[in-house]
């Protein structure tokens, strides 16, 4: 009887309401805080990741245009029975001071006589490797699927390595044109 | 850049006002239905649910829509405060309590709400027609304040008239 009286007393009701009020107010504030954090994440633009010349840019005939968003490597050579490697013709730079991005290499288009080439590969060397390897069996090309995503650290440059090899029976002055894309994930 | 407040801030404010009402109506339980404090608690929980929904669908709901449903919730909380004030003043004839309520709860709550809505409109550069809303809220708050003063102290009107006649 005494317990029932205490439980139904005004102070007890008030205490219950006070506790539940504190709980609701704290939980609401916490949700609002997390909402605020969600909304104030700084978004970076793709402008932070772009191409720059590598050490072998001259040899590879690298030219960069479109605000460093596009590049052509016009002087790459391929020799029969020999793998030609350009270790640093072009670099991908993450110019952001603190944010890492993930990038991948993706096939866009390809032309060229399959009978004259064995392979042409592009490799972006970060801590992990992203590569596109175009291979020919002498009759047809095999176009690669997009590479996996790799992380490019802030304020760092990574070389895209290009390797070529012509077929043993290749004729002179044959041209293969390959277009690849470097996708940047924000 | 000035730190922005999100539209959900109005829900947070409304939730806190409902909790305040719950506690105050519990303290004044002799003058209200016994279930009223719990009704206000439920209203506060609805506000919490409101925030959760906003959080989950943040990317889907546009800011315009978020502002209006959050503002509506705050408005409901303010209407409840004013309604209790009116109840004190009219049906229960408790002038002293009505005056105290108007001075300590109704007027500050409305002014705080006006301040934050104005601030939100200013920081958001009024992507929606907020100017009208700000002006409307400020005028409403002033009108409520003046009306409450005259309503709760009718002698003020008499004093005002006398002064006019003297002039």
């Amino acid at each position: 009887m005494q317990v029932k009286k205490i439980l139904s007393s005004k102070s007890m009701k008030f205490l219950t309401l006070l506790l539940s009020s504190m709980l609701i107010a704290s939980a609401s504030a916490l949700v609002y805080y997390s909402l605020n954090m969600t909304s104030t994440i700084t978004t970076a633009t793709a402008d932070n990741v772009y191409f720059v010349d590598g050490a072998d840019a001259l040899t590879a005939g690298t030219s960069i245009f479109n605000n460093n968003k596009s590049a052509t490597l016009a002087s790459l050579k391929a020799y029969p029975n020999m793998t030609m490697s350009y270790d640093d013709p072009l670099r991908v730079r993450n110019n952001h001071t603190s944010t890492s991005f993930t990038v991948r290499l993706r096939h866009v288009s390809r032309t060229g006589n399959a009978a004259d080439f064995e392979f042409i590969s592009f490799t972006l060397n970060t801590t992990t490797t992203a590569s596109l390897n175009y291979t020919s069996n002498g009759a047809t090309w095999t176009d690669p699927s997009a590479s996996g995503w790799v992380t490019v650290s802030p304020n760092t440059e990574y070389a895209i390595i290009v390797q070529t090899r012509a077929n043993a029976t290749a004729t002179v002055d044959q041209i293969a044109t390959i277009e690849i894309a470097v996708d940047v994930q924000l | 850049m000035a730190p922005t407040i999100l539209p959900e801030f109005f829900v947070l404010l409304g939730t806190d006002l409902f909790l305040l009402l719950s506690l105050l109506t519990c303290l004044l339980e002799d003058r209200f239905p016994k279930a009223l404090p719990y009704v206000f608690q439920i209203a506060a929980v609805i506000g919490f649910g409101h925030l959760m929904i906003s959080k989950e669908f943040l990317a889907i709901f546009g800011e315009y829509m978020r502002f209006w449903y959050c503002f509506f919730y705050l408005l409901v909380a303010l209407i409840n405060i004013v309604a209790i004030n009116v109840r004190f003043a009219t049906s229960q004839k408790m002038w002293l309590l009505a005056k105290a309520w108007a001075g300590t709860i109704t007027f500050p709550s409305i002014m705080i709400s006006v301040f934050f809505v104005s601030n939100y409109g200013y920081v958001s550069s009024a992507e929606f027609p907020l100017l009208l809303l700000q002006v409307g809220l400020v005028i409403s708050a002033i009108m409520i304040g003046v009306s409450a003063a005259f309503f709760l102290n009718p002698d003020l009107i008499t004093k005002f008239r006398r002064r006019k006649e003297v002039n």
Side-chain angles (χ1 to χ4, degrees):
Chain A
M1 192 68 183
Q2 195 100 31
V3 175
K4 200 176 177 184
K5 201 176 175 183
I6 293 168
L7 286 174
S8 62
S9 68
K10 189 175 173 178
S11 55
M12 199 64 200
K13 275 186 200 170
F14 183 76
L15 188 67
T16 313
L17 286 170
L18 184 67
L19 286 174
S20 70
S21 297
M22 284 167 69
L23 190 70
I24 295 166
S26 310
S28 301
L30 200 68
V31 173
Y32 179 76
Y33 178 73
S34 67
L35 258 172
N36 215 3
M37 287 297 105
T38 311
S39 305
T40 55
I41 290 170
T42 310
T43 52
T45 64
D47 291 342
N48 293 305
V49 180
Y50 52 78
F51 294 121
V52 289
D53 281 336
D56 301 329
L58 201 64
T59 320
T62 304
S63 69
I64 297 171
F65 52 98
N66 189 23
N67 287 331
N68 289 45
K69 296 291 172 55
S70 304
T72 54
L73 310 179
S75 306
L76 299 174
K77 308 282 185 199
Y79 296 100
N81 293 327
M82 188 181 88
T83 300
M84 186 70 184
S85 184
Y86 297 86
D87 290 340
D88 194 11
L90 181 69
R91 292 177 190 172
V92 172
R93 176 174 177 78
N94 176 4
N95 201 42
H96 201 277
T97 50
S98 57
T99 308
S100 293
F101 297 99
T102 53
V103 300
R104 71 172 181 181
L105 304 183
R106 178 171 52 83
H107 161 70
V108 178
S109 66
R110 173 200 42 74
T111 57
N113 191 357
D116 294 311
F117 296 91
E118 279 191 13
F119 68 83
I120 300 170
S121 73
F122 302 85
T123 307
L124 178 65
N125 253 342
T126 62
T127 46
T128 50
T129 301
S131 61
L132 289 183
N133 194 14
Y134 292 82
T135 55
S136 164
N137 60 7
T140 53
W141 283 99
T142 304
D143 294 330
S145 51
S147 74
W149 293 95
V150 294
T151 305
V152 287
S153 305
N155 221 4
T156 314
E157 293 174 6
Y158 299 94
I160 294 179
I161 301 165
V162 184
Q163 290 186 317
T164 61
R165 188 179 170 113
N167 196 299
T169 58
T171 52
V172 181
D173 289 337
Q174 291 299 310
I175 295 173
T177 305
I178 293 173
E179 184 183 354
I180 66 168
V182 178
D183 294 331
V184 182
Q185 202 169 47
L186 299 177
Chain B
M1 189 186 157
T4 55
I5 58 169
L6 298 176
E8 283 73 19
F9 181 81
F10 303 126
V11 175
L12 190 67
L13 195 61
T15 306
D16 289 343
L17 289 178
F18 273 124
L19 292 173
L20 176 77
L21 280 177
S22 170
L23 295 175
L24 289 171
T25 49
C26 178
L27 285 173
L28 303 166
E29 68 174 1
D30 307 336
R31 297 168 178 86
F32 293 107
K34 282 190 174 174
L36 199 60
Y38 304 103
V39 171
F40 285 136
Q41 285 274 320
I42 291 166
V45 172
I46 290 170
F48 173 68
H50 217 110
L51 279 172
M52 292 298 286
I53 290 169
S54 258
K55 190 188 171 192
E56 292 304 316
F57 297 98
L58 193 69
I60 300 169
F61 297 160
E63 190 161 353
Y64 185 85
M65 179 180 168
R66 278 163 56 209
F67 169 76
W68 281 109
Y69 72 67
C70 292
F71 180 71
F72 181 74
Y73 182 80
L74 176 64
L75 207 61
V76 171
L78 290 174
I79 286 168
N80 274 282
I81 289 174
V82 174
I84 289 176
N85 208 155
V86 171
R87 183 185 156 91
F88 278 141
T90 56
S91 63
Q92 298 188 343
K93 305 283 182 193
M94 289 180 291
W95 300 111
L96 195 66
L97 197 57
K99 273 192 253 183
W101 188 279
T104 57
I105 312 291
T106 310
F107 202 66
S109 306
I110 291 172
M111 286 315 290
I112 287 168
S113 304
V114 169
F115 170 75
F116 281 115
V117 171
S118 308
N119 180 263
Y120 178 80
Y122 175 73
V123 174
S124 302
S125 305
E127 285 176 11
F128 26 75
L130 256 180
L131 184 67
L132 193 68
L133 192 71
Q134 291 165 14
V135 172
L137 272 172
V138 171
I139 291 171
S140 304
I142 292 168
M143 287 300 288
I144 288 172
V146 173
S147 307
F150 280 124
F151 183 69
L152 301 173
N153 191 359
D155 296 342
L156 277 177
I157 301 171
T158 326
K159 282 179 190 171
F160 184 71
R161 275 182 188 161
R162 271 183 202 157
R163 193 177 293 171
K164 219 173 178 182
E165 281 165 9
V166 169
N167 291 339

